[in-house]
Amino acid sequence: DYFGQLYEWAKELIQRGLAYVCHQRSEELKGHNPPLSPWRTRPVEESLRLFEDMRKGKIDEGKATLRMKMIMEDGKADPVAYRIKFVPHHRTKNEWCIYPTYDYTHCLCDSIENITHSLCTKEFQARRSSYYWLCNSLDVYCPVQWEYGRLNIYYTVVSKRKILKLVENQCVRDWDDPRLFTLTALRRRGFPPEAINNFCAKVGVTMAQVSIDPTMLESCVRDMLNNTARRAMAVLDPLKVVITNFPSDKAISCSVPNIPHEASSGSHEVVFDRIVYIDRSDFRQEPEKGYRRLTQGQSVGLKHSGYVIMLDKIIKDDKGEVTEIQVRCSPVDQAEKPKAFIQWISQPLSCEIRLYNRLFMHKNPQDPEQVPGGFLTDVNPNSLEILSNALVDQSVAGSKQLERFQFERVGYFCVDFDSTPGKLVFNRTVTLKEDSGKN
């Protein structure tokens, strides 16, 4: 948006004798103390003419740069302000073939936008002098640059260059892949902005470099979604259940609170019918020690229905896989109290559910001692699990993109951009708080 203004300011720098066109190659500028450019004293008129030639595409890439006459805090002299690049820009297309550098644009774009404080991580402290020098040299408003320690998160990378590598190597789909920790990725995964702000407030701002476990951020997300995400029921691995003594010749409507501890949030209705689906993990063919859900001789309650079911018959296919179970039901107040209540679905909607796990296998994927082969070799092959045949209750029909839910006993989920009118796609935002002793 500001290429035109930045270009005019670059010409003003040249006219003030504070910038010049240089022909040193990039390899000549590397190292701790490279020699000053032999073109540093080039006449103003000559630099103006050459800069215009750069603008018109008359000079090849790598043959010329515009450099500013100043010494940075780390001792490096004359940072580059413009380079020649014969590549289209995503906004301006082919209008420009010279592009400004970060050292040149950072402070000037902040000035244009009337930024009060430019907040940078510690590695930009060496550029503070160039930030102030450039604004003052052009007599434009100069914001304040303030450095702080970088916040790193375990089991991921936050460097733009490393994220680009992940995208280019198809380790992730794009910059908004929910396994990343970019803002667009966290948004797509369903992290509320308030939860991210709360996390930042808890961590605080420090000059020291800090590394945080992602569970701290996930805890802030749970706290927020527990009070805002509407409840629904979903079954990730469905098992068909037929209630042989269903108490009605038609479906029964059951009321489910939207947020149980918030009466003002209201409720929604779900259908309870002769055929229901439960999660396969909530059933065992044979009793197991400590198991509290449906199995031989042990009943289980169906949440919100007011009924308890008891196993009658197991139906298997030719391979011995359980395809259906038949049960009897009893009103909850007339049956022995069950050890657990589970979610269920009647007349369900088919959906796709994406379960996201840590992107990397090691805590510090950039540590050469932990990962000698480089961070790309540490990508977790099980970081994404797609469940294409999951079921969800009818109450979520017509949900909007990024709408958030708590699927009871399963976790918090968000409607993905890939959803269609015919099939919803949900991203798991975070799991529920887990009780390790729960069976």
Side-chain angles (χ1 to χ4, degrees), residues 73-141:
E73 290 183 20
D74 59 1
K76 292 183 179 179
D78 300 355
V80 173
Y82 270 86
R83 288 190 175 92
I84 302 169
K85 289 285 183 183
F86 291 105
V87 293
H89 188 270
H90 67 284
R91 294 283 292 277
T92 57
K93 307 306 179 187
N94 293 309
E95 182 179 349
W96 296 88
C97 63
I98 56 170
Y99 292 101
T101 63
Y102 177 87
D103 285 323
Y104 181 72
T105 59
H106 181 195
C107 62
L108 295 182
C109 288
D110 286 350
S111 179
I112 292 171
E113 296 179 356
N114 291 312
I115 300 297
T116 58
H117 292 75
S118 178
L119 307 181
C120 311
T121 47
K122 284 284 288 180
E123 62 263 33
F124 292 97
Q125 186 169 349
R127 288 175 160 83
R128 189 198 302 167
S129 57
S130 67
Y131 188 99
Y132 294 145
W133 176 88
L134 186 49
C135 286
N136 293 331
S137 295
L138 289 168
D139 298 321
V140 298
Y141 161 68

Side-chain angles (χ1 to χ4, degrees), residues 340-384:
F341 284 81
I342 62 174
Q343 82 276 20
W344 52 273
I345 299 175
S346 283
Q347 301 179 17
L349 294 174
S350 176
C351 68
E352 178 180 300
I353 286 185
R354 298 171 181 173
L355 304 178
Y356 295 98
N357 299 302
R358 287 170 175 164
L359 182 57
F360 294 97
M361 294 180 287
H362 286 82
K363 194 174 186 179
N364 297 301
Q366 303 169 83
D367 186 342
E369 292 186 2
Q370 292 187 33
V371 189
F375 73 100
L376 289 177
T377 66
D378 194 50
V379 173
N380 178 10
N382 301 312
S383 61
L384 171 61

Side-chain angles (χ1 to χ4, degrees), residues 246-261:
F246 191 73
S248 174
D249 58 358
K250 60 181 180 179
I252 299 172
S253 181
C254 303
S255 179
V256 178
N258 289 332
I259 301 176
H261 57 277

Side-chain angles (χ1 to χ4, degrees), residues 128-294:
R128 189 198 302 167
S129 57
S130 67
Y131 188 99
Y132 294 145
W133 176 88
L134 186 49
C135 286
N136 293 331
S137 295
L138 289 168
D139 298 321
V140 298
Y141 161 68
C142 185
V144 174
Q145 177 172 310
W146 182 30
E147 303 88 12
Y148 56 91
R150 175 190 287 271
L151 173 62
N152 291 313
I153 299 180
Y154 291 133
Y155 298 102
T156 191
V157 293
V158 294
S159 161
K160 293 190 291 293
R161 292 180 182 86
K162 289 184 172 64
I163 293 173
L164 180 60
K165 289 279 189 183
L166 290 170
V167 174
E168 290 175 341
N169 285 273
Q170 299 182 345
C171 299
V172 294
R173 292 174 62 184
D174 210 333
W175 290 75
D176 66 346
D177 189 299
R179 289 168 289 182
L180 296 173
F181 278 76
T182 62
L183 286 178
T184 55
L186 295 180
R187 177 174 178 260
R188 185 168 187 173
R189 186 162 174 171
F191 282 33
E194 299 88 349
I196 298 173
N197 288 338
N198 291 343
F199 166 72
C200 293
K202 284 185 176 182
V203 173
V205 178
T206 174
M207 295 295 285
Q209 185 163 299
V210 178
S211 294
I212 298 291
D213 196 281
T215 54
M216 183 175 177
L217 173 56
E218 291 169 358
S219 176
C220 293
V221 172
R222 286 191 191 94
D223 290 343
M224 180 63 59
L225 292 181
N226 183 51
N227 296 319
T228 58
R230 180 164 71 81
R231 274 43 171 183
M233 291 192 285
V235 173
L236 306 192
D237 186 10
L239 175 61
K240 183 179 179 180
V241 178
V242 178
I243 303 174
T244 57
N245 66 333
F246 191 73
S248 174
D249 58 358
K250 60 181 180 179
I252 299 172
S253 181
C254 303
S255 179
V256 178
N258 289 332
I259 301 176
H261 57 277
E262 294 284 350
S264 60
S265 67
S267 62
H268 61 274
E269 301 297 311
V270 296
V271 172
F272 180 42
D273 209 345
R274 180 174 176 270
I275 296 176
V276 301
Y277 294 87
I278 65 172
D279 200 282
R280 197 171 289 271
S281 64
D282 289 330
F283 167 72
R284 292 286 188 273
Q285 296 187 56
E286 299 296 336
E288 297 177 4
K289 184 178 179 180
Y291 189 74
R292 296 175 180 271
R293 287 158 282 167
L294 185 62

Side-chain angles (χ1 to χ4, degrees), residues 59-72:
I59 302 177
D60 293 336
E61 281 190 29
K63 297 297 184 180
T65 58
L66 182 70
R67 297 176 65 183
M68 298 175 283
K69 290 184 182 179
M70 59 91 62
I71 306 297
M72 300 177 70

Side-chain angles (χ1 to χ4, degrees), residues 190-193 225 228-230 402-406 413-415:
F191 282 33
L225 292 181
T228 58
R230 180 164 71 81
L402 301 182
E403 191 169 351
R404 305 179 186 99
F405 296 91
Q406 184 198 105
F413 291 79
C414 173
V415 180

